[in-house]
Amino acid sequence: KFGVTSDRGAPLSSMTLIHKLPVISANPYGAFIIDLDPEEMNSLLRVLNPENSGAAFILNDSMNWVANGASKETEISPLAAALREEIAKGKIGEAFKFDWDGQKYAVGQYEMSKVGLTFVTATPLSLLSRPIIITSRLMLAASFFGLIIAFLLSWVATNQLYRPISRIVGLFRGRRIG
């Protein structure tokens, strides 16, 4: 389980992972105790929030912040706070669409039951669909360019094919007239 020192989104002063040994025993004889740097955890979560347009955070069983993705200088995003409230209601599943502030978000919620944590990521749908739109436009442009090249090549080939026939017709017309 995680030991958390803050429950209102304030910067955490320490995070500790305690793993009892042996795991399946009712009377453990020891434990692995791992101290985690909260700023490093938040830094890793910020990587999952491209262009700072979504949210990524970790909650414990009682819906308190473990890591919120905010730096020491910034506060928790309103999107993260709204998602936390929605998840606390318990009406949502592992993946869902979330409408907030006029934008749609794809949200993934992953529960790690052994350690009692919930990992949540939210990404704007516009950010997810941007590479697909760019790729489809490039494919459309390449197809249009290919169609123009094919038209020009067929026009040149047609002129090349009909040139000898045109000469023969010209010769026959020239003999009749003369």
Side-chain angles (χ1 to χ4, degrees):
K1 299 285 180 187
F2 267 94
V4 181
T5 59
S6 174
D7 63 348
R8 298 277 177 203
L12 302 174
S13 60
S14 70
M15 290 192 310
T16 304
L17 176 65
I18 301 171
H19 190 76
K20 296 177 183 175
L21 297 173
V23 177
I24 57 174
S25 174
N27 298 320
Y29 58 84
F32 279 126
I33 300 174
I34 302 168
D35 284 328
L36 301 172
D37 180 19
E39 187 55 38
E40 186 63 29
M41 288 285 288
N42 287 327
S43 166
L44 291 171
L45 288 173
R46 282 191 296 276
V47 170
L48 297 174
N49 187 6
E51 299 179 10
N52 207 18
S53 57
F57 54 90
I58 301 173
L59 301 171
N60 64 10
D61 284 340
S62 54
M63 293 297 142
N64 295 327
W65 300 104
V66 173
N68 52 35
S71 64
K72 288 181 181 178
E73 298 83 32
T74 62
E75 294 182 11
I76 297 172
S77 74
L79 171 64
L83 275 169
R84 176 184 171 208
E85 289 175 19
E86 195 69 24
I87 291 168
K89 292 177 187 175
K91 298 178 183 175
I92 52 179
E94 289 181 4
F96 60 96
K97 187 173 69 170
F98 185 67
D99 295 330
W100 184 77
D101 199 26
Q103 196 167 12
K104 296 178 191 288
Y105 293 86
V107 179
Q109 174 185 345
Y110 313 99
E111 290 189 25
M112 297 172 267
S113 57
K114 287 189 178 185
V115 291
L117 298 176
T118 302
F119 174 68
V120 181
T121 60
T123 306
L125 289 177
S126 60
L127 192 64
L128 290 175
S129 62
R130 188 182 308 159
I132 296 167
I133 292 170
I134 291 170
T135 303
S136 64
R137 286 182 182 166
L138 284 174
M139 288 173 51
L140 214 83
S143 299
F144 184 71
F145 183 70
L147 189 63
I148 290 173
I149 294 293
F151 176 74
L152 290 174
L153 287 175
S154 68
W155 180 69
V156 168
T158 302
N159 283 340
Q160 291 296 326
L161 283 173
Y162 284 112
R163 186 174 288 162
I165 295 170
S166 158
R167 261 193 230 152
I168 291 173
V169 169
L171 285 174
F172 285 125
R173 282 188 183 164
R175 286 188 183 167
R176 283 186 194 167
I177 295 173

